[in-house]
Amino acid sequence: MRIARAASAACVFIASVATAPLVSGQTVEKAKVVIAVSGPPAQIYFLSVVLAKTLGYFDQAGVNVELQHFNAGSKALESVLGGSADFVAGAYENTVRMQAKGQSMQSVVLYGRYPQNVLGISKAQAANYKSPADLKGKTIGITGPGSATQTFLNLILANAGLQPSDVTTITIGAGPVAVAAMKRSGELYAISNLDLAITELTMAGDIVVAVDSRTAEGTRAVYGGEYASGCLYAPSAFLNRNPNTVQAIANAMVRTLKWMATATPDEIIAKVPADFYQHNKAVYRQALLNNLPSFSRDGLMPSEAPNNMLKAMVRFDPNIAKSDIDVSATYDNRFVEKALQGSK
């Protein structure tokens, strides 16, 4: 294996049609762009993408963006591979998995600097849980096979000297379906998931948080350093064919991340659809507070993050370990760098 040095269905929101889209004086190649989002609309992990839509920043950048939401990252990726979507909003690690399969995909905007994954122990088992070593032989709910929540769980197991085969994983999805699965299932010892589900279950007393990657400290403890999480990625061929369109998307996302960095939680809540609250604004607000530090401030891929991620993945993924992975080919910072120059 070679680790290269880093170089640089569905709930649908439909945008109003943008006219005469321009990027730096050039017309975008594709005025209508579909982003396949790897989770439900209210999941905090995708907040910056949703806000770019609701704030009107995609429209103002000259692209008519449709967000198609799926309940698993694998389904969103299938949508792009099948040609019905252009970008995936999801885990950066999938660009590595696709390279190992011989398919080139690249991240162009990194919106998540911390993974936001959380391991929660069920209320019935929490008193007996002392450390990740206690997970051996247990049944744990994840969003889906090959997901970032499974990677997170596998790293926790590896750090405790365990193998992925030492636990049984069950796909429970994300959002309300994950909450329902945890509440109704007596067989789940723990859950590896994200917000809103984690905060809702925690506030209801259904789980106790054991491992938390919503902070810098928690991320370093599990992943061993800087990490790359949520991003917008697409097939390299699409990026090469549509550079002006990609630049427009990057411009909108960078503008959104800058807005998020200075907005108050209440200002952010005012810009998302009311049904995101799931009839409980207190849960949404707390989840927002728990996760705001995890969002990138500029959209750039940190220099050490791709190699740290790859080192983590090869610990338990034999397909990655035996592949000749070049992480410098899994992302392209140029679009964000140009957007940042234009935003000064």
Side-chain angles (χ1 to χ4, degrees):
M1 180 196 68
R2 173 169 59 88
I3 301 178
R5 182 177 177 82
S8 357
C11 300
V12 180
F13 292 94
I14 301 177
S16 58
V17 176
T19 58
L22 300 175
V23 181
S24 301
Q26 295 178 305
T27 304
V28 296
E29 302 86 359
K30 200 171 191 296
K32 173 68 177 291
V33 172
V34 178
I35 299 177
V37 184
S38 305
Q43 192 167 313
I44 300 291
Y45 188 89
F46 306 107
L47 177 62
S48 59
V49 181
V50 172
L51 284 173
K53 171 75 173 170
T54 60
L55 288 166
Y57 291 168
F58 285 133
D59 289 343
Q60 292 168 32
V63 279
N64 173 12
V65 168
E66 176 184 311
L67 303 182
Q68 294 184 343
H69 291 266
F70 299 85
N71 210 37
S74 59
K75 297 299 182 182
L77 181 54
E78 286 173 9
S79 181
V80 169
L81 293 175
S84 57
D86 304 300
F87 286 89
V88 175
Y92 164 67
E93 64 193 48
N94 285 327
T95 64
V96 172
R97 289 200 171 92
M98 295 309 295
Q99 188 182 123
K101 296 177 180 179
Q103 300 190 58
S104 179
M105 290 197 164
Q106 291 178 293
S107 163
V108 292
V109 179
L110 182 76
Y111 55 79
R113 57 180 179 171
Y114 310 144
Q116 298 185 10
N117 300 307
V118 175
L119 179 72
I121 310 300
S122 71
K123 176 177 61 177
Q125 303 292 339
N128 298 320
Y129 176 85
K130 305 302 179 185
S131 76
D134 295 329
L135 298 173
K136 186 173 182 178
K138 303 301 192 298
T139 300
I140 302 170
I142 60 173
T143 57
S147 65
T149 59
Q150 186 170 38
T151 299
F152 175 67
L153 173 61
N154 286 343
L155 285 171
I156 293 171
L157 295 172
N159 291 338
L162 301 176
Q163 299 295 321
S165 58
D166 286 326
V167 303
T168 299
T169 56
I170 294 179
T171 296
I172 61 172
V177 295
V179 171
M182 195 67 195
K183 285 179 176 291
R184 73 169 179 266
S185 176
E187 67 176 320
L188 288 178
Y189 181 89
I191 180 174
S192 178
N193 219 283
L194 307 100
D195 278 317
L196 296 172
I198 291 296
T199 294
E200 182 173 348
L201 289 166
T202 303
M203 291 179 71
D206 294 310
I207 63 170
V208 174
V209 171
V211 186
D212 192 340
S213 71
R214 294 174 294 190
T215 66
E217 296 76 16
T219 297
R220 284 195 298 268
V222 176
Y223 298 90
E226 280 188 328
Y227 208 75
S229 184
C231 72
L232 288 183
Y233 67 91
S236 298
F238 175 86
L239 305 179
N240 293 334
R241 289 195 307 267
N242 303 282
N244 296 336
T245 304
V246 178
Q247 189 62 60
I249 294 293
N251 291 348
M253 288 298 299
V254 167
R255 187 179 176 191
T256 302
L257 292 170
K258 284 179 168 286
W259 182 84
M260 289 178 67
T262 59
T264 67
D266 290 330
E267 287 173 334
I268 293 174
I269 290 172
K271 295 298 182 180
V272 300
D275 59 2
F276 277 26
Y277 312 150
Q278 298 176 8
H279 310 295
N280 194 334
K281 188 179 286 190
V283 169
Y284 190 88
R285 195 178 194 283
Q286 186 58 52
L288 184 60
L289 289 170
N290 290 341
N291 287 277
L292 276 178
S294 69
F295 287 96
S296 171
R297 299 299 189 262
D298 55 20
L300 289 168
M301 179 69 69
S303 60
E304 298 303 319
N307 278 335
N308 283 341
M309 182 211 64
L310 184 56
K311 290 174 183 176
M313 293 179 74
V314 299
R315 293 175 65 183
F316 56 83
D317 191 327
N319 291 327
I320 302 300
K322 69 183 181 182
S323 299
D324 187 25
I325 300 296
D326 178 4
V327 291
S328 69
T330 61
Y331 70 97
D332 191 339
N333 269 335
R334 291 177 298 171
F335 297 101
V336 167
E337 288 169 349
K338 187 173 181 180
L340 291 169
Q341 291 173 358
S343 66
K344 292 178 180 178

